[in-house]
C-alpha cells in the first residue's frame, strides 16, 4: 500500500518525464548538430509527440542541449546559462565535439568538451548524430530518470 | 605602375603581381581605374620566417588577381585600403588579429576573431606561436555588463542580441544601437566559434585536413572540402577523371539544395511563419536521404578527397534520385505561389534591408546577396570548376536588393540546382572516379574558388614539400557579407533586423573558423 | 447572525461551471490548439502523455509547479511574485459572469452593463501581465510587456465597439440577456461584425498575425523571460484562459450562447454541451487562422488597428444600427 506522498511523487516524476522542455545552445559548433536538432521539430521526426518543446529562455527549460566544442569565449556564457536554469535540470552533450572536443581538440581557443565546464548527464556521439540517435539519447535519459528516486534532482 | 613590380603567372589566379609594400595603395588605385567594380576577395597573411607576407586577392572581371607584398616582421605596417575599397575592412582586421600587421588609417581597428581577453602581442598564426603555449595562457573574465545600456550623451539605447538567443542558431553578439525603433548603428562581435582551424590545419596531413575543413561548417561542408581538394590538386597538377567531376558536381548541388531549403524555412521562422518553416524542412528531408544514398552521411558528406570522390554512384540509385527530384520540383511550384501571393510574408520582406548595386560592389559582397542586388557574380559561370563548364544553367539575378529579392533568388536557384543534377545524372560519364595522389605534396601555392550556397568560397594553400601544409587560408562567404548587413540594418526599424539578418544567410561557424 | 453554507453556490463557483471546470477546460483547449497547429503543420503533436496526448498540458502544468523557484535579484519582489496569479484570478472571475450552463457560475451575478464590467476586468488582468514583465528587471521582458500593453490597449477599443453590435441588437448590455435574446444567432444578423470581431480577437489574444509580444526571434521569452516554476505555470494559464474567455465571448455575443435544442433530460446538460461545442469551434477557427499567417511588425500592427480596424468597427456599428432600425423589422 503505497503512501500518498510516494504516489504524489510518482505523479510528479510522470509529469517531468512527459514534459521535458529543452533549450538549445551552440557553444562553438559547426552547425551540423544544430540543424539535426532543429530537424527534430519538423514533421518527419516531430518530438512534440513526447512533449519536448524548444524554449527561448534558460529559465523555462529542463534540458540543455549543447552542441559543439566549448571555445574560450563561450565557456563563461555556457556556465552562466546553466546556472540560470532552475532545478531539476539536465545537460545533454550532442555530437563528438561536445563530448570530447572532436576534431578541434587541442586548438588554441578550444577548452574541450562540455563536461569541462558543466556537468553532463548524457553524451550522444556522432558527427553529427542522426536525429534518430538524438531521440534515442533523450529517451534513454528520460528512462534513467524513472529509475532514480523522485526527489533526486541534480 | 612604378618600379619594383613583377608579374608572374602561377596558380594564384589569372595573374600574380609582386609589389613593394609602400605602393599598395597606388596599385589598388590603378586597378580601380581599369575596373571600377574590382573587389577584394580575400587578404592572406603569411609567415615567411624573417618577413610577413601579405597577399591581396582581388576579384576583377570575374577572375582573381593576386597582389603580393612583404613586410618586416618586427614592424609590419602598411597603409590601409579601406577608403578605396570599403569591403577590405574585415579582411584587414582579421590579418591584424592573427598576424599582428598594423594597417595605418583603418577606420575601426580592433579584435575580430580572437577572444576579448586574448593577450596582446600574441599572434596565433605566426610560426613562432606554438599551440601548447597558446592553450595554457591564463583565462580572464570577458563579460560586458548588462544587456541594455543607455548612452546618455548620444541618447541611443544599446541592445545586445546574443550570444544565446532563440533567433540565432549560433553564438555571436550584435550590439544594436536604437533611437526609439530606428536602428542607428550595429556592431558585431564575432569570434565565439573561432576554433583555430587555420592553425590546426598546419598540424595535420593533407588528407586529415579534408576532414578538418569539412567541419568548418556543417551546412556547406562539401563546398569547403571541394575547394580545399581543388587547391591541392592545382598544386599537384592532378586531373580528376570526368566521372569524379560529375559526381562532385552532384554532391555540391545537393548541398546547395539542402542549404537553400534550410535557409528559406529558417526565414519563415524568423518572421513568425512557423507553418512555412515546417513545410520547407519537411521537403528538405528527402534531400538528406539522397545525400545519404550518395555519400553515406546525411549532413557531413565526407565524400570528396584529393583526386576524386570516395564512393561511386550505383546505376540502380539513379532512378531513386530522379523520382525525388521530380517530387521536389512540384513542391517548388507551391512555394513559388506562396512567396508570390502571401500578403503577410510580403509585408515583412518587401523593401526591407535594401542594398543598392553600388553598395554591393563597394562592400565586395558575394553570392545570392550580391545577385539579389543586380550583380552578375557566380563562380560557376565566371571560372567554371568541376563539371559546371559542361552543364547549362541559368544565372538568377534580381534588381530590387531587398530581403524579398534575396529570398526569391535562393528559391529560384533551387529549381536551377534540380536542373543541374538531372543533367549531370543523364550525362554521367563512365570510367574511374578517383586517381591516386602522392601523400607528400610538392612545394607550391594555389588559390581556388567555389560557389558555396552562401556565395564565393575562397581557399589559399601553400605547401612546403612535406606531408603537412605550410598555410591554409579560408575566406568564407558570410565573412564577406556581414558588412552588407551592418549597412542595410541602419535606418530601418529594429523589428526588421531579424528578417534582414536571416536573408543574408549568415553562418558564423564559417565566419569564425 | 447565522450564515447557512450555500452548498450550491460553492459547488457552482469551485467546481462547475466555476474554477475546476475552467481550469481543466483550459488545459483541454490548450491540447486542442496544439493538435490543430500540429496537424496544420503536417505533424502529429502531443501523443504520448495520456491517450492521444490529452494529458500533455496537465503534465506541463504539474512539471512547472515542481520546479525550483528563482526570483531575480533586481526584480520588484512583490509584484513579480503575485502579479501572475492575480492576473489569472481576474480572468477566471470574468469567466464566472458568462452563462455557461444557462446561468453564470455565480447565480444572479449578471447585471445590466456587465459586458462593460468583464471587459474592464480583462483589461486589468492584461495590465497585471504588463506589470509582471515590467517587474522582471530584464530588458527583453520590458520590451515584451510594453508591446503587450500597446497591442492590448490599442485593440480594446475596436473590440468594445464591435461588442456593442450584439448589445444593440439585443437591446441590453447584460451578457446573459444578449445570449438569451438571440432568436437568430447574431452571426447571421451582423456577419461583418463577427468577422471583424474574430480579427480583433486575434490581436487581443496575441496570436498570429498579431503575435509580436511572443516573438521569440525578437524578445526572447517576452514578458515571461525571467519567470520559472509555478509563476510561469500561471502565466501560461492566464494566456490560455484568456483564449477561452475570448472564445466564450464570441459564443455568447454571436453564436447564441449556451442555448440550443434540448432533446431529452436536463436542459443544464444540453446547454453546457452546446456551449462547449461552440467554444471549441471558435478555438479551432482562431488557431487555424494563426497557422496561416506570418507575424506582422509592430508598426504594421498599429497601422492595422488605428487606420483599418477602428474605422471599420465604427462603420460596422453604424451599419448594424441602420439594418436593425429599418431592414430587420420588415423581415421578422
Amino acid at each position: 500500500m503505497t503512501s500518498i506522498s510516494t504516489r504524489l511523487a510518482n505523479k510528479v516524476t510522470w509529469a517531468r518525464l512527459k514534459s521535458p522542455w529543452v533549450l538549445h545552445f551552440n557553444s562553438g559548433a559547426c552547425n551540423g548538430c544544430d540543424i539535426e536538432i532543429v530537424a527534430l521539430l519538423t514533421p518527419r521526426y516531430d518530438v512534440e509527440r513526447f512533449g519536448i518543446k524548444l524554449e527561448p529562455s534558460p529559465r523555462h527549460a529542463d534540458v540543455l542541449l549543447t552542441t559543439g566544442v566549448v571555445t574560450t569565449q563561450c565557456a563563461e556564457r555556457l556556465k552562466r546559462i546553466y546556472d540560470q536554469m532552475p532545478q531539476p535540470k539536465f545537460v545533454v552533450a550532442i555530437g563528438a565535439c561536445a563530448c570530447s572536443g572532436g576534431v578541434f581538440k587541442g586548438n588554441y581557443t578550444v577548452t574541450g568538451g562540455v563536461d569541462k565546464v558543466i556537468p553532463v548527464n548524457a553524451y550522444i556521439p556522432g558527427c553529427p548524430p542522426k536525429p534518430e540517435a538524438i531521440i534515442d539519447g533523450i529517451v534513454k535519459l528520460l528512462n534513467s530518470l524513472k529509475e532514480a528516486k523522485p526527489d533526486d534532482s541534480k | 605602375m612604378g618600379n619594383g613590380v613583377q608579374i608572374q603567372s602561377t596558380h594564384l589566379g589569372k595573374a600574380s603581381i609582386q609589389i613593394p609594400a609602400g605602393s599598395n595603395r597606388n596599385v589598388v588605385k590603378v586597378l580601380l581605374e581599369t575596373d571600377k567594380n574590382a573587389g577584394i576577395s580575400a587578404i592572406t597573411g603569411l609567415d615567411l620566417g624573417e618577413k610577413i607576407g601579405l597577399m591581396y586577392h582581388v576579384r576583377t572581371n570575374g577572375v582573381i588577381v593576386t597582389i603580393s607584398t612583404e613586410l618586416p616582421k618586427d614592424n609590419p605596417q602598411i597603409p590601409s585600403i579601406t577608403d578605396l575599397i570599403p569591403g577590405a575592412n574585415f579582411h584587414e582586421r582579421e590579418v591584424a588579429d592573427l598576424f599582428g600587421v598594423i594597417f595605418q588609417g583603418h577606420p575601426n581597428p580592433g579584435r575580430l576573431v580572437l577572444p576579448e581577453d586574448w593577450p596582446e602581442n600574441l599572434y596565433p598564426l605566426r610560426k613562432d606561436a606554438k599551440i601548447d603555449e597558446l592553450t595554457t595562457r591564463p583565462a580572464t573574465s570577458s563579460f560586458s555588463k548588462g544587456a541594455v545600456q543607455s548612452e546618455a550623451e548620444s541618447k541611443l539605447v544599446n541592445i545586445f542580441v546574443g550570444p544565446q538567443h532563440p533567433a540565432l542558431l549560433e553564438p555571436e553578439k550584435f550590439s544594436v544601437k536604437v533611437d526609439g525603433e530606428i536602428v542607428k548603428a550595429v556592431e558585431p562581435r564575432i569570434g565565439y566559434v573561432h576554433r583555430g582551424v587555420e592553425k590546426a590545419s598546419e598540424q595535420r596531413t593533407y588528407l586529415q585536413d579534408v576532414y578538418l575543413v569539412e567541419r568548418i561548417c556543417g551546412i556547406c561542408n562539401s563546398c569547403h572540402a571541394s575547394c580545399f581538394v581543388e587547391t591541392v590538386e592545382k598544386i599537384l597538377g592532378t586531373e580528376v577523371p570526368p566521372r569524379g567531376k560529375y559526381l562532385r558536381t552532384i554532391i555540391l548541388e545537393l548541398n546547395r539544395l539542402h542549404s537553400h531549403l534550410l535557409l528559406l524555412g529558417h526565414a519563415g521562422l524568423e518572421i513568425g511563419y512557423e507553418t512555412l518553416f515546417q513545410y520547407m524542412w519537411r521537403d528538405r528531408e528527402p534531400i538528406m536521404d539522397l545525400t545519404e544514398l550518395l555519400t553515406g552521411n546525411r549532413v557531413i558528406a565526407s565524400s570528396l578527397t584529393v583526386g576524386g570522390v570516395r564512393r561511386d554512384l550505383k546505376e540502380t540509385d539513379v532512378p531513386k534520385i530522379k523520382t525525388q527530384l521530380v517530387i521536389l520540383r512540384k513542391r517548388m511550384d507551391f512555394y513559388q505561389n506562396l512567396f508570390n501571393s502571401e500578403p503577410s510574408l510580403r509585408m515583412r520582406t518587401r523593401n526591407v534591408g535594401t542594398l543598392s548595386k553600388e553598395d554591393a560592389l563597394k562592400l565586395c559582397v558575394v553570392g545570392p546577396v550580391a545577385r539579389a542586388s543586380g550583380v552578375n557574380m557566380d563562380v560557376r559561370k565566371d571560372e567554371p570548376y568541376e563539371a559546371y563548364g559542361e552543364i547549362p544553367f541559368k544565372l538568377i539575378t534580381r534588381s530590387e536588393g531587398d530581403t524579398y529579392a534575396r529570398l526569391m533568388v535562393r528559391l529560384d536557384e533551387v529549381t536551377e540546382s534540380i536542373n543541374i543534377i538531372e543533367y549531370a545524372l543523364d550525362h554521367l560519364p563512365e570510367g574511374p572516379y578517383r586517381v591516386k595522389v602522392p601523400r607528400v605534396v610538392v612545394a607550391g601555392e594555389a588559390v581556388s574558388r567555389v560557389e558555396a550556397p552562401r556565395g564565393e568560397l575562397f581557399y589559399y594553400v601553400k605547401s612546403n614539400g612535406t606531408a603537412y601544409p605550410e598555410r591554409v587560408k579560408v575566406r568564407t562567404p558570410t565573412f564577406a557579407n556581414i558588412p552588407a548587413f551592418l549597412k542595410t540594418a541602419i535606418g530601418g526599424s529594429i523589428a526588421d533586423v531579424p528578417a534582414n539578418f536571416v536573408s543574408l544567410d549568415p553562418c558564423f561557424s564559417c565566419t569564425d573558423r | 447572525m447565522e450564515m447557512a453554507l450555500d452548498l450550491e453556490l460553492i459547488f457552482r463557483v469551485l467546481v462547475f461551471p466555476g474554477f475546476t471546470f475552467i481550469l481543466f477546460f483550459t488545459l483541454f483547449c490548450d491540447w486542442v490548439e496544439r493538435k490543430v497547429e500540429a496537424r496544420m503543420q503536417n505533424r502529429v503533436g502531443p501523443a504520448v502523455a495520456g491517450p492521444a496526448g490529452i494529458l500533455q498540458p496537465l503534465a506541463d502544468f504539474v512539471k512547472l509547479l515542481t520546479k525550483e523557484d528563482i526570483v531575480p535579484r533586481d526584480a520588484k519582489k512583490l509584484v513579480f511574485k503575485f502579479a501572475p496569479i492575480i492576473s489569472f484570478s481576474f480572468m477566471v472571475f470574468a469567466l464566472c459572469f458568462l452563462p455557461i450552463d444557462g446561468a453564470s457560475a455565480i447565480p444572479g451575478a449578471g447585471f445590466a452593463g456587465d459586458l462593460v464590467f468583464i471587459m474592464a476586468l480583462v483589461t486589468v488582468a492584461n495590465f497585471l501581465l504588463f506589470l509582471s514583465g515590467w517587474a522582471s528587471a530584464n530588458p527583453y521582458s520590458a520590451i515584451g510587456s510594453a508591446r503587450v500593453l500597446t497591442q492590448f490597449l490599442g485593440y480594446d477599443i475596436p473590440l468594445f465597439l464591435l461588442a456593442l453590435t450584439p448589445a444593440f441588437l439585443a437591446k441590453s448590455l447584460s451578457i446573459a440577456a444578449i445570449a438569451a435574446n438571440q432568436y437568430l444567432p447574431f452571426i447571421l444578423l451582423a456577419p461583418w461584425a463577427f468577422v471583424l470581431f474574430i480579427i480583433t480577437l486575434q490581436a487581443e489574444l496575441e496570436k498570429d498575425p498579431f503575435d509580436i509580444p511572443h516573438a521569440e526571434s525578437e524578445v526572447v521569452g517576452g514578458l515571461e523571460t525571467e519567470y520559472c516554476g509555478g509563476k510561469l505555470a500561471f502565466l501560461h494559464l492566464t494566456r490560455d484562459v484568456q483564449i477561452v474567455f475570448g472564445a466564450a465571448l464570441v459564443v455568447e455575443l454571436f453564436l447564441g450562447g449556451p442555448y440550443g435544442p434540448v432533446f431529452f433530460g436536463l436542459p443544464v446538460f444540453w446547454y453546457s454541451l452546446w456551449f462547449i461545442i461552440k467554444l471549441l469551434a471558435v478555438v479551432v477557427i482562431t488557431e487555424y487562422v494563426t497557422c496561416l499567417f506570418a507575424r506582422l511588425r509592430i508598426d504594421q500592427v498599429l497601422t492595422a488597428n488605428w487606420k483599418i480596424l477602428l474605422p471599420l468597427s465604427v462603420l460596422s456599428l453604424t451599419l448594424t444600427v441602420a439594418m436593425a432600425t429599418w431592414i430587420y423589422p420588415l423581415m421578422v
Side-chain angles (χ1 to χ4, degrees):
Chain A
M1 171 78 163
T2 45
S3 66
I4 291 192
S5 67
T6 316
R7 271 192 281 185
L8 254 167
N10 287 341
K11 292 286 177 288
V12 166
T13 312
W14 169 87
R16 284 181 180 165
L17 291 180
K18 296 295 180 199
S19 160
W21 287 0
V22 301
L23 174 75
H24 160 243
F25 183 62
N26 171 336
S27 62
C30 75
N31 284 334
C33 297
D34 301 302
I35 59 180
E36 296 292 65
I37 292 179
V38 177
L40 288 180
L41 306 166
T42 54
R44 185 185 272 202
Y45 300 103
D46 194 18
V47 288
E48 202 192 349
R49 293 175 292 150
F50 304 108
I52 299 178
K53 258 169 58 168
L54 196 63
E55 287 292 312
S57 162
R59 300 238 187 253
H60 301 175
D62 308 304
V63 182
L64 178 64
L65 299 178
T66 79
T67 57
V69 300
V70 182
T71 54
T72 36
Q73 232 174 317
C74 273
E76 270 196 76
R77 274 91 180 169
L78 181 61
K79 182 95 187 40
R80 213 185 210 200
I81 290 175
Y82 178 72
D83 289 336
Q84 281 180 343
M85 288 169 64
Q87 296 281 5
K89 56 189 170 186
F90 309 97
V91 176
V92 179
I94 295 186
C97 292
C99 293
S100 65
V103 292
F104 302 107
K105 190 168 179 165
N107 289 356
Y108 56 85
T109 49
V110 170
T111 308
V114 174
D115 52 13
K116 294 235 183 326
V117 181
I118 53 180
V120 175
N121 296 86
Y123 299 86
I124 304 182
C127 193
K130 290 181 72 164
E132 289 95 332
I134 303 178
I135 296 181
D136 186 38
I138 296 182
V139 167
K140 284 202 167 100
L141 173 72
L142 294 176
N143 284 339
S144 76
L145 301 177
K146 249 199 269 186
E147 273 103 57
K149 289 200 297 281
D151 60 350
D152 179 22
S153 45
K154 269 189 61 176
Chain B
M1 241 193 291
N3 43 7
V5 176
Q6 304 153 7
I7 304 185
Q8 317 145 300
S9 178
T10 64
H11 288 303
L12 292 178
K14 204 77 177 168
S16 161
I17 312 175
Q18 187 86 19
I19 61 167
S23 56
N24 66 335
R25 286 181 62 88
N26 292 338
V27 172
V28 170
K29 280 189 195 148
V30 169
L31 193 69
L32 285 173
E33 279 162 29
T34 39
D35 175 15
K36 69 171 171 56
N37 292 336
I40 290 280
S41 192
I43 301 182
T44 306
L46 277 177
D47 189 333
L48 299 169
E50 290 297 313
K51 291 179 178 277
I52 298 232
L54 200 63
M55 300 167 120
Y56 294 86
H57 303 281
V58 180
R59 181 177 49 233
T60 163
N61 291 326
V63 296
I64 296 278
V65 169
T66 302
I67 304 174
S68 341
T69 180
E70 287 176 6
L71 307 168
K73 204 172 205 182
D74 46 1
N75 184 22
Q77 293 202 27
I78 191 169
S80 160
I81 58 168
T82 315
D83 54 334
L84 299 169
I85 303 182
N89 193 324
F90 268 31
H91 298 109
E92 291 185 342
R93 275 176 78 178
E94 191 203 347
V95 176
D97 228 2
L98 294 172
F99 278 93
V101 175
I102 300 176
F103 289 90
Q104 299 147 341
H106 193 281
N108 52 339
R111 286 248 177 265
L112 194 66
V113 288
L114 290 176
E116 296 139 336
D117 60 345
W118 190 263
E120 297 285 328
N121 298 324
L122 187 57
Y123 304 113
L125 248 52
R126 288 200 188 177
K127 289 295 178 188
D128 42 13
K130 299 276 176 273
I131 281 206
D132 326 307
E133 292 164 13
L134 296 170
T135 45
T136 52
R137 63 192 171 80
T140 54
S141 177
S142 51
F143 268 118
S144 46
K145 298 267 171 280
V148 173
Q149 293 165 348
S150 289
E151 297 174 5
E153 321 75 36
S154 53
K155 294 194 170 58
L156 293 177
V157 177
N158 203 354
I159 303 183
F160 286 102
V161 176
Q164 187 270 325
H165 195 271
L168 313 169
L169 267 186
E170 305 167 87
E172 64 268 358
K173 189 160 77 173
F174 287 94
S175 77
V176 183
K177 298 190 170 54
V178 293
D179 179 11
E181 284 268 328
I182 306 293
V183 175
K184 293 293 182 199
V186 182
E187 267 160 38
R189 183 55 177 97
I190 60 177
Y192 286 86
V193 198
H194 183 65
R195 293 151 289 171
V197 169
E198 292 183 2
K199 184 83 175 174
S201 60
E202 297 165 16
Q203 264 83 33
R204 289 157 171 74
T205 64
Y206 286 92
L207 197 53
Q208 287 172 328
D209 275 341
V210 176
Y211 295 99
L212 180 66
V213 298
E214 256 182 345
R215 284 156 176 83
I216 291 180
C217 177
I219 304 177
C220 49
N221 57 86
S222 303
C223 303
H224 279 277
S226 100
C227 207
F228 179 72
V229 299
E230 275 176 29
T231 321
V232 177
E233 282 156 9
K234 276 192 190 162
I235 304 179
L236 284 170
T238 319
E239 183 67 27
V240 176
R243 189 176 176 88
K245 285 194 178 163
Y246 270 78
L247 286 174
R248 279 187 182 177
T249 311
I250 296 175
I251 295 174
L252 289 174
E253 287 304 310
L254 280 176
N255 200 237
R256 189 183 317 276
L257 274 179
H258 108 83
S259 173
H260 281 338
L261 289 174
L262 187 152
L263 185 272
L264 288 167
H266 195 57
L269 203 56
E270 293 296 317
I271 59 178
Y273 209 173
E274 261 214 46
T275 318
L276 177 67
F277 162 70
Q278 300 279 358
Y279 282 11
M280 275 277 178
W281 280 57
R282 176 201 63 192
D283 290 325
R284 178 181 162 265
E285 287 296 326
I287 307 290
M288 314 305 282
D289 290 339
L290 291 182
T291 312
E292 197 175 358
L293 188 66
L294 195 51
T295 69
N297 291 303
R298 269 171 61 103
V299 179
I300 298 197
S302 285
S303 191
L304 277 77
T305 186
V306 185
V309 292
R310 288 173 62 214
R311 266 180 152 205
D312 198 5
L313 176 64
K314 292 205 284 273
E315 271 310 310
T316 47
D317 288 339
V318 174
K320 290 186 204 165
I321 303 181
K322 287 198 165 169
T323 329
Q324 283 300 338
L325 290 178
V326 166
I327 298 177
L328 187 62
R329 212 190 264 282
K330 275 210 285 271
R331 296 299 304 164
M332 281 301 122
D333 291 334
F334 166 74
Y335 291 119
Q336 285 279 353
N337 234 351
L338 182 75
F339 272 81
N340 281 330
S341 59
E342 167 60 45
S344 56
L345 200 145
R346 289 167 72 89
M347 279 171 82
R348 284 302 299 269
T349 53
R350 292 237 68 145
N351 298 321
V352 166
T354 312
L355 183 70
S356 66
K357 189 170 175 181
E358 304 87 56
D359 280 335
L361 288 165
K362 277 208 318 245
L363 292 170
C364 312
V365 299
V366 295
V369 178
R371 291 198 281 277
S373 295
V375 178
N376 280 358
M377 170 202 296
D378 190 330
V379 185
R380 297 176 290 172
K381 289 276 189 206
D382 297 335
E383 276 189 304
Y385 54 98
E386 305 301 355
Y388 287 107
E390 301 160 32
I391 303 182
F393 66 96
K394 271 199 327 237
L395 185 66
I396 313 276
T397 54
R398 284 202 173 223
S399 55
E400 304 98 24
D402 57 7
T403 301
Y404 184 73
R406 292 193 274 271
L407 294 177
M408 289 306 290
V409 164
R410 292 189 180 96
L411 193 65
D412 295 330
E413 282 187 2
V414 169
T415 318
E416 279 308 307
S417 289
I418 299 178
N419 292 342
I420 297 175
I421 300 179
E422 287 181 342
Y423 187 98
L425 285 173
D426 288 334
H427 295 81
L428 198 58
E430 297 294 328
Y433 52 88
R434 74 185 289 189
V435 291
K436 239 174 133 41
V437 292
R439 198 176 57 91
V440 173
V441 174
V442 299
E445 45 185 4
V447 305
S448 194
R449 299 188 294 159
V450 150
E451 184 73 17
R454 285 159 187 76
E456 175 205 59
L457 178 62
F458 178 95
Y459 265 70
Y460 163 84
V461 176
K462 178 172 183 194
S463 94
N464 55 9
T466 64
Y468 297 82
E470 168 89 6
R471 170 91 169 98
V472 174
K473 155 84 181 166
V474 183
R475 197 277 293 146
T476 51
T478 311
F479 191 80
N481 283 345
I482 293 185
F485 163 65
L486 303 179
K487 180 130 192 174
T488 55
I490 294 178
S493 150
I494 186 169
D496 281 332
V497 166
N500 188 7
F501 184 62
V502 82
S503 77
L504 95 104
D505 203 354
C507 179
F508 284 89
S509 43
C510 273
T511 314
D512 292 341
R513 286 149 295 136
Chain C
M1 210 167 101
E2 287 198 34
M3 302 230 326
L5 259 178
D6 192 346
L7 285 173
E8 196 205 337
L9 175 66
I10 295 177
F11 180 80
R12 287 186 69 82
V13 170
L14 285 183
V15 181
F16 182 88
F19 180 73
T20 315
F21 168 70
I22 293 176
L23 182 65
F24 283 97
F25 191 57
T26 306
L27 294 177
F28 177 69
C29 282
D30 191 19
W31 174 81
V32 168
E33 281 198 308
R34 282 173 79 163
K35 274 301 213 191
V36 168
E37 184 175 13
R39 292 307 298 148
M40 279 289 288
Q41 293 172 353
N42 212 197
R43 298 183 291 122
V44 173
V48 165
I54 207 168
L55 295 179
Q56 185 66 53
L58 182 64
D60 291 340
F61 185 60
V62 172
K63 178 210 74 170
L64 279 176
L65 286 179
T66 60
K67 294 271 284 185
E68 178 192 356
D69 208 11
I70 299 180
V71 177
R73 191 185 52 206
D74 292 337
K76 316 256 182 300
K77 304 271 187 318
L78 218 57
V79 181
F80 187 83
K81 286 190 199 175
F82 292 108
I85 195 160
I86 299 184
S87 178
F88 174 67
S89 323
F90 268 86
M91 292 279 190
V92 173
F93 185 49
L95 263 174
C96 286
F97 282 87
L98 300 177
I100 295 178
D101 62 346
S104 50
I106 309 172
F111 56 91
D114 65 0
L115 175 62
V116 182
F117 177 62
I118 64 171
M119 295 200 61
L121 277 180
V122 170
T123 310
V124 172
N126 270 283
F127 186 73
L128 283 166
L129 280 183
F130 157 77
L131 276 187
S132 50
W134 168 83
S136 294
N138 179 316
Y140 296 121
S141 312
I143 301 178
S145 50
R147 287 180 172 185
V148 163
L149 207 62
T150 320
Q151 191 165 310
F152 189 84
L153 289 185
Y155 279 87
D156 226 5
I157 304 179
L159 191 75
F160 188 65
L161 280 178
L162 290 165
L164 281 185
T165 306
F168 181 80
L169 286 174
K171 299 189 178 37
S172 164
L173 271 179
S174 151
I175 297 217
I178 299 178
N181 287 349
Q182 295 191 30
Y183 46 90
L184 266 183
F186 291 153
I187 183 177
L188 297 173
L189 291 182
W192 49 87
F194 176 73
V195 169
L196 287 175
F197 195 84
I198 292 273
I199 298 176
T200 318
L201 200 64
Q202 289 285 108
E204 290 275 285
L205 301 178
E206 290 145 25
K207 300 174 83 149
D208 275 330
F210 306 102
D211 193 14
I212 299 193
H214 301 269
E216 283 179 5
S217 58
E218 293 165 43
V219 287
V220 189
L223 57 88
E224 297 170 1
T225 311
E226 285 290 345
Y227 278 95
C228 55
K231 299 195 270 291
L232 182 65
F234 278 102
L235 277 181
H236 283 173
L237 259 189
T238 310
R239 180 150 189 248
D240 294 333
V241 168
Q242 194 176 9
I243 295 176
V244 170
F245 174 80
L249 205 61
V250 172
V251 168
E252 300 289 349
L253 294 179
F254 289 97
L255 295 177
Y259 302 109
V262 178
F263 295 115
F264 54 84
L266 285 175
V268 176
F269 166 74
W270 283 101
Y271 290 156
S272 319
L273 190 66
W274 285 121
F275 183 79
I276 290 176
I277 292 178
K278 291 180 197 176
L279 199 144
L280 284 178
V282 177
V283 166
V284 167
I285 291 177
T286 53
E287 186 59 32
Y288 192 74
V289 170
T290 307
C291 292
L292 287 179
F293 293 105
R295 181 186 305 136
L296 293 178
R297 271 202 321 257
I298 184 85
D299 60 307
Q300 291 164 340
V301 165
L302 294 177
T303 316
N305 178 29
W306 297 101
K307 291 194 189 158
I308 304 179
L309 273 180
L310 187 58
L312 279 182
S313 47
V314 172
L315 258 150
S316 144
L317 189 58
T318 322
L319 184 59
T320 315
V321 170
M323 295 284 281
T325 316
W326 292 301
I327 314 286
Y328 293 150
L330 302 176
M331 287 163 41
V332 166

